Amino acid sequence: LYAHLDIFRAIKTAEPFNSMQIMIELEAEIKYAKEPFIVNSAKAVAILEASNLSKVCQEVIFDITKVPVAICASFIALTAVTFREGVKEIGDQAFMNCPTLKTLVFPESLEIIGKEAFQNCLELKGSIRIPDGVKEIRTRAFSQDKCKLKVNKDRKTKLKFDEIDKEWVSTHVQTITVN
């Protein structure tokens, strides 16, 4: 078994846990990393943060309210991320430096995309639909020049961008009507 002391420090939950069981689950997650890794509890967050999945994990599905800061930063094999309904915030640098990330699925419940959340995700190309519920996209959330953000022009809430991104926004944000 892997000697991951960080896993014990990373668990910030009141739910009781068995350390041997967590190590067995960690081993299983590393072994079967080609299947989507579903993050739906504090324990799953701890496993993701403390494991060696950054080199093998190809798909992550988030089913928690707030995606932690830098949770999947530098995951070199990651190609797809799905945020299920109920996710409200993507933390700063959550997916920074994921060079193979191509697919993002945002829920309508999403409100905030954190600073540098998808910076240096070089395979994010084409159009990325921003749900109407998003209120804020923080500094350099999307830094690559190959993607366009699609924003519904009839949205009820105004989308806030940081001042530093004004020039990038003027080039990379398309106002569209989504039916």
PDB file of all heavy atoms in Angstrom, residues 54-73:
ATOM      1  N   SER A  54      -2.907  12.212 -10.554  1.00  0.00           N
ATOM      2  CA  SER A  54      -2.605  13.326 -11.458  1.00  0.00           C
ATOM      3  C   SER A  54      -1.974  12.869 -12.769  1.00  0.00           C
ATOM      4  O   SER A  54      -2.059  13.568 -13.764  1.00  0.00           O
ATOM      5  CB  SER A  54      -1.696  14.347 -10.775  1.00  0.00           C
ATOM      6  OG  SER A  54      -0.440  13.775 -10.522  1.00  0.00           O
ATOM      7  N   LYS A  55      -1.377  11.699 -12.790  1.00  0.00           N
ATOM      8  CA  LYS A  55      -0.716  11.221 -14.007  1.00  0.00           C
ATOM      9  C   LYS A  55      -1.577  10.267 -14.824  1.00  0.00           C
ATOM     10  O   LYS A  55      -1.247   9.977 -15.957  1.00  0.00           O
ATOM     11  CB  LYS A  55       0.594  10.554 -13.646  1.00  0.00           C
ATOM     12  CG  LYS A  55       1.583  11.542 -13.073  1.00  0.00           C
ATOM     13  CD  LYS A  55       2.906  10.915 -12.769  1.00  0.00           C
ATOM     14  CE  LYS A  55       3.826  12.012 -12.275  1.00  0.00           C
ATOM     15  NZ  LYS A  55       4.741  11.623 -11.297  1.00  0.00           N
ATOM     16  N   VAL A  56      -2.664   9.752 -14.231  1.00  0.00           N
ATOM     17  CA  VAL A  56      -3.448   8.745 -14.933  1.00  0.00           C
ATOM     18  C   VAL A  56      -4.936   9.052 -15.058  1.00  0.00           C
ATOM     19  O   VAL A  56      -5.598   8.520 -15.936  1.00  0.00           O
ATOM     20  CB  VAL A  56      -3.288   7.354 -14.286  1.00  0.00           C
ATOM     21  CG1 VAL A  56      -1.864   6.846 -14.436  1.00  0.00           C
ATOM     22  CG2 VAL A  56      -3.697   7.378 -12.827  1.00  0.00           C
ATOM     23  N   CYS A  57      -5.465   9.897 -14.213  1.00  0.00           N
ATOM     24  CA  CYS A  57      -6.906  10.159 -14.197  1.00  0.00           C
ATOM     25  C   CYS A  57      -7.329  10.921 -15.447  1.00  0.00           C
ATOM     26  O   CYS A  57      -6.797  11.984 -15.750  1.00  0.00           O
ATOM     27  CB  CYS A  57      -7.274  10.963 -12.958  1.00  0.00           C
ATOM     28  SG  CYS A  57      -9.038  11.159 -12.749  1.00  0.00           S
ATOM     29  N   GLN A  58      -8.308  10.361 -16.191  1.00  0.00           N
ATOM     30  CA  GLN A  58      -8.742  10.975 -17.437  1.00  0.00           C
ATOM     31  C   GLN A  58     -10.061  11.739 -17.318  1.00  0.00           C
ATOM     32  O   GLN A  58     -10.309  12.643 -18.097  1.00  0.00           O
ATOM     33  CB  GLN A  58      -8.863   9.911 -18.524  1.00  0.00           C
ATOM     34  CG  GLN A  58      -7.527   9.302 -18.868  1.00  0.00           C
ATOM     35  CD  GLN A  58      -7.645   8.214 -19.915  1.00  0.00           C
ATOM     36  OE1 GLN A  58      -8.725   7.837 -20.326  1.00  0.00           O
ATOM     37  NE2 GLN A  58      -6.515   7.702 -20.346  1.00  0.00           N
ATOM     38  N   GLU A  59     -10.893  11.345 -16.363  1.00  0.00           N
ATOM     39  CA  GLU A  59     -12.190  12.009 -16.233  1.00  0.00           C
ATOM     40  C   GLU A  59     -12.572  12.135 -14.765  1.00  0.00           C
ATOM     41  O   GLU A  59     -12.428  11.190 -13.998  1.00  0.00           O
ATOM     42  CB  GLU A  59     -13.277  11.221 -16.965  1.00  0.00           C
ATOM     43  CG  GLU A  59     -14.633  11.881 -16.915  1.00  0.00           C
ATOM     44  CD  GLU A  59     -15.693  11.136 -17.704  1.00  0.00           C
ATOM     45  OE1 GLU A  59     -15.400  10.090 -18.301  1.00  0.00           O
ATOM     46  OE2 GLU A  59     -16.827  11.629 -17.704  1.00  0.00           O
ATOM     47  N   VAL A  60     -13.065  13.332 -14.393  1.00  0.00           N
ATOM     48  CA  VAL A  60     -13.515  13.578 -13.027  1.00  0.00           C
ATOM     49  C   VAL A  60     -14.935  14.131 -13.091  1.00  0.00           C
ATOM     50  O   VAL A  60     -15.242  14.976 -13.936  1.00  0.00           O
ATOM     51  CB  VAL A  60     -12.592  14.573 -12.285  1.00  0.00           C
ATOM     52  CG1 VAL A  60     -13.085  14.821 -10.874  1.00  0.00           C
ATOM     53  CG2 VAL A  60     -11.163  14.069 -12.252  1.00  0.00           C
ATOM     54  N   ILE A  61     -15.784  13.638 -12.194  1.00  0.00           N
ATOM     55  CA  ILE A  61     -17.159  14.127 -12.079  1.00  0.00           C
ATOM     56  C   ILE A  61     -17.312  14.710 -10.683  1.00  0.00           C
ATOM     57  O   ILE A  61     -17.062  14.020  -9.694  1.00  0.00           O
ATOM     58  CB  ILE A  61     -18.175  12.984 -12.295  1.00  0.00           C
ATOM     59  CG1 ILE A  61     -18.010  12.402 -13.703  1.00  0.00           C
ATOM     60  CG2 ILE A  61     -19.600  13.487 -12.061  1.00  0.00           C
ATOM     61  CD1 ILE A  61     -18.787  11.127 -13.941  1.00  0.00           C
ATOM     62  N   PHE A  62     -17.690  15.985 -10.600  1.00  0.00           N
ATOM     63  CA  PHE A  62     -17.852  16.639  -9.308  1.00  0.00           C
ATOM     64  C   PHE A  62     -19.322  16.711  -8.929  1.00  0.00           C
ATOM     65  O   PHE A  62     -20.148  17.173  -9.713  1.00  0.00           O
ATOM     66  CB  PHE A  62     -17.244  18.049  -9.323  1.00  0.00           C
ATOM     67  CG  PHE A  62     -15.749  18.028  -9.249  1.00  0.00           C
ATOM     68  CD1 PHE A  62     -14.993  17.995 -10.393  1.00  0.00           C
ATOM     69  CD2 PHE A  62     -15.104  18.014  -8.019  1.00  0.00           C
ATOM     70  CE1 PHE A  62     -13.610  17.942 -10.334  1.00  0.00           C
ATOM     71  CE2 PHE A  62     -13.727  17.968  -7.946  1.00  0.00           C
ATOM     72  CZ  PHE A  62     -12.974  17.931  -9.104  1.00  0.00           C
ATOM     73  N   ASP A  63     -19.625  16.250  -7.723  1.00  0.00           N
ATOM     74  CA  ASP A  63     -20.986  16.255  -7.196  1.00  0.00           C
ATOM     75  C   ASP A  63     -20.950  16.836  -5.776  1.00  0.00           C
ATOM     76  O   ASP A  63     -21.483  16.256  -4.838  1.00  0.00           O
ATOM     77  CB  ASP A  63     -21.535  14.825  -7.199  1.00  0.00           C
ATOM     78  CG  ASP A  63     -23.036  14.780  -7.035  1.00  0.00           C
ATOM     79  OD1 ASP A  63     -23.668  15.852  -7.060  1.00  0.00           O
ATOM     80  OD2 ASP A  63     -23.581  13.673  -6.869  1.00  0.00           O
ATOM     81  N   ILE A  64     -20.250  17.973  -5.637  1.00  0.00           N
ATOM     82  CA  ILE A  64     -20.138  18.690  -4.364  1.00  0.00           C
ATOM     83  C   ILE A  64     -20.419  20.165  -4.645  1.00  0.00           C
ATOM     84  O   ILE A  64     -20.318  20.610  -5.787  1.00  0.00           O
ATOM     85  CB  ILE A  64     -18.749  18.509  -3.708  1.00  0.00           C
ATOM     86  CG1 ILE A  64     -17.623  18.888  -4.678  1.00  0.00           C
ATOM     87  CG2 ILE A  64     -18.567  17.092  -3.203  1.00  0.00           C
ATOM     88  CD1 ILE A  64     -16.225  18.771  -4.103  1.00  0.00           C
ATOM     89  N   THR A  65     -20.763  20.932  -3.629  1.00  0.00           N
ATOM     90  CA  THR A  65     -21.147  22.332  -3.827  1.00  0.00           C
ATOM     91  C   THR A  65     -19.993  23.206  -4.295  1.00  0.00           C
ATOM     92  O   THR A  65     -20.142  24.020  -5.196  1.00  0.00           O
ATOM     93  CB  THR A  65     -21.723  22.910  -2.513  1.00  0.00           C
ATOM     94  OG1 THR A  65     -22.778  22.070  -2.089  1.00  0.00           O
ATOM     95  CG2 THR A  65     -22.254  24.309  -2.720  1.00  0.00           C
ATOM     96  N   LYS A  66     -18.817  23.038  -3.686  1.00  0.00           N
ATOM     97  CA  LYS A  66     -17.658  23.864  -4.034  1.00  0.00           C
ATOM     98  C   LYS A  66     -16.474  22.975  -4.400  1.00  0.00           C
ATOM     99  O   LYS A  66     -16.055  22.131  -3.615  1.00  0.00           O
ATOM    100  CB  LYS A  66     -17.275  24.778  -2.871  1.00  0.00           C
ATOM    101  CG  LYS A  66     -16.123  25.687  -3.206  1.00  0.00           C
ATOM    102  CD  LYS A  66     -15.768  26.645  -2.097  1.00  0.00           C
ATOM    103  CE  LYS A  66     -14.588  27.502  -2.527  1.00  0.00           C
ATOM    104  NZ  LYS A  66     -14.128  28.378  -1.484  1.00  0.00           N
ATOM    105  N   VAL A  67     -15.954  23.188  -5.591  1.00  0.00           N
ATOM    106  CA  VAL A  67     -14.781  22.452  -6.048  1.00  0.00           C
ATOM    107  C   VAL A  67     -13.561  23.121  -5.412  1.00  0.00           C
ATOM    108  O   VAL A  67     -13.346  24.321  -5.595  1.00  0.00           O
ATOM    109  CB  VAL A  67     -14.688  22.466  -7.588  1.00  0.00           C
ATOM    110  CG1 VAL A  67     -13.422  21.780  -8.057  1.00  0.00           C
ATOM    111  CG2 VAL A  67     -15.933  21.814  -8.195  1.00  0.00           C
ATOM    112  N   PRO A  68     -12.751  22.371  -4.649  1.00  0.00           N
ATOM    113  CA  PRO A  68     -11.630  22.971  -3.904  1.00  0.00           C
ATOM    114  C   PRO A  68     -10.558  23.614  -4.791  1.00  0.00           C
ATOM    115  O   PRO A  68     -10.375  23.240  -5.947  1.00  0.00           O
ATOM    116  CB  PRO A  68     -11.036  21.781  -3.142  1.00  0.00           C
ATOM    117  CG  PRO A  68     -12.137  20.781  -3.070  1.00  0.00           C
ATOM    118  CD  PRO A  68     -12.915  20.957  -4.344  1.00  0.00           C
ATOM    119  N   VAL A  69      -9.843  24.546  -4.206  1.00  0.00           N
ATOM    120  CA  VAL A  69      -8.723  25.225  -4.855  1.00  0.00           C
ATOM    121  C   VAL A  69      -7.691  24.188  -5.296  1.00  0.00           C
ATOM    122  O   VAL A  69      -7.336  23.292  -4.531  1.00  0.00           O
ATOM    123  CB  VAL A  69      -8.072  26.235  -3.878  1.00  0.00           C
ATOM    124  CG1 VAL A  69      -6.771  26.785  -4.435  1.00  0.00           C
ATOM    125  CG2 VAL A  69      -9.050  27.357  -3.557  1.00  0.00           C
ATOM    126  N   ALA A  70      -7.243  24.289  -6.545  1.00  0.00           N
ATOM    127  CA  ALA A  70      -6.165  23.470  -7.116  1.00  0.00           C
ATOM    128  C   ALA A  70      -6.388  21.966  -6.988  1.00  0.00           C
ATOM    129  O   ALA A  70      -5.431  21.203  -7.014  1.00  0.00           O
ATOM    130  CB  ALA A  70      -4.822  23.875  -6.509  1.00  0.00           C
ATOM    131  N   ILE A  71      -7.615  21.517  -6.898  1.00  0.00           N
ATOM    132  CA  ILE A  71      -7.922  20.099  -6.693  1.00  0.00           C
ATOM    133  C   ILE A  71      -7.353  19.209  -7.795  1.00  0.00           C
ATOM    134  O   ILE A  71      -6.890  18.114  -7.529  1.00  0.00           O
ATOM    135  CB  ILE A  71      -9.444  19.866  -6.525  1.00  0.00           C
ATOM    136  CG1 ILE A  71      -9.769  18.401  -6.196  1.00  0.00           C
ATOM    137  CG2 ILE A  71     -10.220  20.277  -7.746  1.00  0.00           C
ATOM    138  CD1 ILE A  71      -9.509  18.009  -4.809  1.00  0.00           C
ATOM    139  N   CYS A  72      -7.401  19.659  -9.025  1.00  0.00           N
ATOM    140  CA  CYS A  72      -6.894  18.854 -10.142  1.00  0.00           C
ATOM    141  C   CYS A  72      -5.821  19.600 -10.929  1.00  0.00           C
ATOM    142  O   CYS A  72      -5.604  19.331 -12.107  1.00  0.00           O
ATOM    143  CB  CYS A  72      -8.032  18.450 -11.069  1.00  0.00           C
ATOM    144  SG  CYS A  72      -9.189  17.281 -10.345  1.00  0.00           S
ATOM    145  N   ALA A  73      -5.146  20.530 -10.301  1.00  0.00           N
ATOM    146  CA  ALA A  73      -4.097  21.281 -10.994  1.00  0.00           C
ATOM    147  C   ALA A  73      -3.006  20.326 -11.453  1.00  0.00           C
ATOM    148  O   ALA A  73      -2.606  19.428 -10.725  1.00  0.00           O
ATOM    149  CB  ALA A  73      -3.515  22.346 -10.078  1.00  0.00           C
TER     150      ALA A  73
END
